[in-house]
Amino acid sequence: MSTTSSNANPASAFYAGSRAAQALGATLRTLEALAPEWATRAALRLFFTPLPWKFAMRRAVPAAWAVESWPFEGVNVTSYRRRGLEPDRPVVLLIHGWAGAGLQMRALGDALAEAGFDPVLLDFPAHGRSAGWRSTLPQFTRAIHAAHARLGPLHAVVAHSLGALAALHTAARGLAVRRLVLLAPSAPPALFLRWFAGSFGLAESVPQRMRERIEQREGIPLQHFEPDWLGARVAQPTLVVHDEGDRVAPFAAGQRLARTLADATLHPTQGLSHTRVLGDPGVAVAVLRHLLHDA
């Protein structure tokens, strides 16, 4: 069994913080003992399901924002764009993290619109108002490429949490974007797989089997989301904003990315946790300064 402690495992409070989750963990451990392959399938099914479900993250759409739905990989995904902006503004794509929603980024989007940009908020599949119930990090990257195909060249991508790793991967694979902003970037997925398995007390072999299944299914090695692989391939000027007390995505993850990327600046914060960075006025100022540098 894994011996990962809750203090060292940010996933524990989320995945194993309720009686239902504890019961689910017991079921997964029983399956692991009796039928390891079935346990792997069940663990992956849970791992690919955003929790809390998207209904809990839905917010009312402000009148200033228009909603657009478009097809992607067999489902419809949703994006939000400010109404009434003059054409030819620099486009900035804002993307959320796992179990988040595009409208979490609205405060930053409003600030960008006031500063002369054309902000577009995206709901990934199985999130917000987009269809579907399960998604993956590689699917996030494909959705960013699909949004870029609709929007044209991007001045910037502003991305939160797991979305930050997806944004980095798309930049590493040639996305036409001039600047990047990473807000509370997540730890690499291979590490999070170990946290996930550890939060349910599963054997150390489970995350390795899950990783092999994911790589086989998605056709992308998870190594391609590691800082060292990304850092050798991402040249865009990048602002990394991370709170020192983040309990979901450890501050060390942002520090490592800032050290590894060729042209990155780390903007540490205090007292903003994992999500309050999205609505903080000081963070908005730092983001605007970074994006206005060559707008």
Side-chain angles (χ1 to χ4, degrees), residues 16-28:
S18 68
R19 290 183 179 178
Q22 292 165 8
L24 184 56
T27 301
L28 289 173

Side-chain angles (χ1 to χ4, degrees), residues 118-231:
D118 181 3
V120 180
L121 320 180
L122 178 65
D123 282 340
F124 284 124
H127 293 75
R129 286 176 171 78
S130 292
W133 294 104
R134 295 176 185 85
S135 189
T136 67
L137 175 56
Q139 189 182 49
F140 278 20
T141 68
R142 297 193 298 272
I144 295 171
H145 282 291
H148 166 258
R150 296 178 64 85
L151 299 170
L154 300 173
H155 179 74
V157 175
V158 178
H160 181 234
S161 194
L162 194 68
L165 294 188
L168 281 172
H169 188 271
T170 59
R173 298 297 294 269
L175 186 78
V177 58
R178 294 172 66 179
R179 289 182 169 263
L180 298 170
V181 176
L182 313 178
L183 305 170
S186 174
L191 177 56
F192 202 87
L193 278 170
R194 295 200 296 273
W195 288 340
F196 172 86
S199 69
F200 290 112
L202 299 175
E204 296 288 352
S205 59
V206 175
Q208 181 57 37
R209 293 201 305 268
M210 292 174 69
R211 175 174 183 161
E212 291 169 358
R213 286 285 190 90
I214 292 170
E215 292 180 338
Q216 181 181 37
R217 165 181 162 160
E218 300 292 344
I220 298 177
L222 292 191
Q223 178 192 359
H224 291 189
F225 296 95
E226 293 285 340
D228 290 343
W229 191 93
L230 295 167

Side-chain angles (χ1 to χ4, degrees), residues 21-165:
Q22 292 165 8
L24 184 56
T27 301
L28 289 173
R29 291 192 296 273
T30 301
L31 274 175
E32 169 64 16
L34 299 175
E37 283 304 309
W38 281 100
T40 303
R41 292 181 187 181
L44 279 172
R45 191 175 181 86
L46 178 61
F47 189 71
F48 291 156
T49 303
L51 297 171
W53 283 350
K54 58 188 178 181
F55 298 116
M57 295 303 298
R58 286 186 180 175
R59 292 164 166 78
V61 182
W65 290 83
V67 181
E68 182 180 12
S69 181
W70 40 279
F72 169 73
E73 295 190 356
V75 300
N76 283 343
V77 295
T78 300
S79 59
Y80 311 84
R81 200 166 192 170
R82 277 287 295 260
R83 301 179 188 272
L85 300 181
E86 60 271 21
D88 300 324
R89 286 185 172 209
V91 177
V92 178
L93 180 65
L94 296 99
I95 54 178
H96 60 81
W98 189 253
L103 285 173
Q104 281 182 294
M105 313 292 285
R106 182 177 65 84
L108 277 171
D110 286 335
L112 288 166
E114 293 300 319
F117 293 100
D118 181 3
V120 180
L121 320 180
L122 178 65
D123 282 340
F124 284 124
H127 293 75
R129 286 176 171 78
S130 292
W133 294 104
R134 295 176 185 85
S135 189
T136 67
L137 175 56
Q139 189 182 49
F140 278 20
T141 68
R142 297 193 298 272
I144 295 171
H145 282 291
H148 166 258
R150 296 178 64 85
L151 299 170
L154 300 173
H155 179 74
V157 175
V158 178
H160 181 234
S161 194
L162 194 68
L165 294 188

Side-chain angles (χ1 to χ4, degrees), residues 12 15 56 242 279:
S12 289
Y15 282 111
H242 214 134

